[in-house]
Amino acid sequence: MTFANDEGDDPSRVGAASDPLMEGMEQLDTVISFKDGGSGLARELQRAASRSTASRSERNLLQAFRDIASWCDQFSLPKTISDIAKQLYKRSDEEKLLRGKPLDAVIAACIFIACRQAHVPRTFREICTLTHVPKKTLGQCYKALEQAFNLTLGASASRSSLSVGSKAAGPESLLSRYCNHLDLPPNVEPICADIIGKARELGIADGRSPVSIAGGAIYFTCHLLGKVKSARDISTVAGVSEGTIKLVYRLYYAEREKLVKEEWIKDGRAKLERLPVDTTK
């Protein structure tokens, strides 16, 4: 067993593999002054205190990184978003921007911002559903980071980005993800997108959030094409209540003949009689 002397570090000590996101952790060390009359004990105590502080900081940062990676994985987000979120979190931690805020709320805000910077928008509702962070708390953390980092996320980076249903995350942009999670055949998404577009032209379901429109349109389209999914299944994926999904469905059903193209009926893909009148089941 070897020990370091007062002249330098112990060459036998081997550190962990370097991580660019962990660079600068040594700057978080706390130097404590000990006086021992020149015996050398003070320096060893200072080193021990510094190692303890750095170790604790590193552990906290690594835990946050693990949580970010786990949540991004659960949300099927690419690694680039996970990396951006980690960088944002590290900066907020180093600059003590959100001291006193819950860790999960800070992480959730970083993921939300990372999604927008990578042009893979997620709504506040989706992030809240994933992380179980209250919308109000998430909004507070987001605003603090937005101001501190002087973020430029496009026109949607203002208040509109805090609302469920900002233009950056319109209903069509949600379809691919929802349909994939529901394991629907490829022909469902484009027809569903056409129906949403036509409904928009006609002013059907105006004022409803993109999440609820996407969920209701999928419910409508699945019945129309005979690829039925329950409102509960869609609710689980979209993070919106079954009642809201069925409300949008009823609005679409009332105008079904205007929304469904004749060519879909002629080629046998769609049948209006498949659409249920009673959606209470």
Side-chain angles (χ1 to χ4, degrees), residues 68-173:
I68 289 171
S70 176
W71 282 351
C72 287
D73 184 60
Q74 291 178 48
F75 216 25
S76 300
L77 294 172
K79 186 177 182 298
T80 51
I81 290 178
S82 178
D83 289 342
I84 293 172
K86 289 175 183 179
Q87 292 170 358
L88 290 168
Y89 178 85
K90 186 181 179 186
R91 282 189 59 188
S92 69
D93 181 65
E94 289 174 344
E95 299 175 27
K96 309 298 181 186
L97 298 177
L98 294 171
R99 179 179 292 177
K101 292 294 183 183
L103 175 62
D104 56 353
V106 179
I107 290 175
C110 290
I111 292 175
F112 178 78
I113 293 171
C115 286
R116 290 190 173 275
Q117 289 188 328
H119 305 291
V120 184
R122 294 294 185 270
T123 64
F124 256 36
R125 184 190 295 273
E126 290 177 291
I127 297 295
C128 291
T129 299
L130 168 70
T131 62
H132 303 294
V133 172
K135 182 181 175 183
K136 181 178 180 181
T137 305
L138 178 57
Q140 291 171 343
C141 291
Y142 168 77
K143 288 180 180 179
L145 293 179
E146 181 187 38
Q147 293 173 359
F149 295 156
N150 191 25
L151 298 173
T152 303
L153 307 178
S156 63
S158 60
R159 277 181 211 169
S160 63
S161 65
L162 298 179
S163 64
V164 178
S166 62
K167 293 181 180 179
E172 290 92 340
S173 71

Side-chain angles (χ1 to χ4, degrees), residues 229-264:
K229 290 290 181 179
S230 70
R232 176 175 295 181
D233 289 339
I234 298 173
S235 171
T236 300
V237 169
V240 66
S241 72
E242 295 178 48
T244 299
I245 289 172
K246 291 180 178 180
L247 174 60
V248 173
Y249 169 83
R250 286 193 290 270
L251 294 174
Y252 279 19
Y253 179 82
E255 304 291 343
R256 58 192 180 281
E257 294 183 356
K258 297 179 181 179
L259 296 177
V260 179
K261 293 182 179 179
E262 289 187 11
E263 63 188 74
W264 299 340

Side-chain angles (χ1 to χ4, degrees), residues 175-235:
L175 291 180
S176 179
R177 187 164 70 257
Y178 292 175
C179 289
N180 284 337
H181 286 313
L182 289 165
D183 197 27
L184 291 169
N187 67 321
V188 173
E189 182 185 342
I191 291 179
C192 192
D194 281 348
I195 289 172
I196 290 175
K198 185 62 176 180
R200 184 183 295 115
E201 291 178 10
L202 297 172
I204 302 171
D206 278 358
R208 300 288 169 182
S209 73
V211 177
S212 60
I213 289 176
I218 289 174
Y219 188 70
F220 179 92
T221 306
C222 285
H223 278 286
L224 181 70
L225 302 181
K227 310 295 182 182
V228 179
K229 290 290 181 179
S230 70
R232 176 175 295 181
D233 289 339
I234 298 173
S235 171

Side-chain angles (χ1 to χ4, degrees), residues 2-15 26 29 43-44 46-48 50-51:
T2 61
F3 296 89
N5 58 30
D6 288 344
E7 297 301 320
D9 294 330
D10 182 354
S12 68
R13 297 190 65 212
V14 179
E26 67 277 1
D29 291 357
R43 186 168 182 175
E44 293 304 320
Q46 287 174 338
R47 285 179 176 177
S50 295
R51 284 196 298 270

Side-chain angles (χ1 to χ4, degrees), residues 263-280:
E263 63 188 74
W264 299 340
I265 296 176
K266 289 180 179 179
D267 62 22
R269 284 180 291 173
K271 292 184 178 180
L272 290 176
E273 56 267 27
R274 289 178 180 148
L275 298 172
V277 179
D278 183 4
T279 60
T280 59

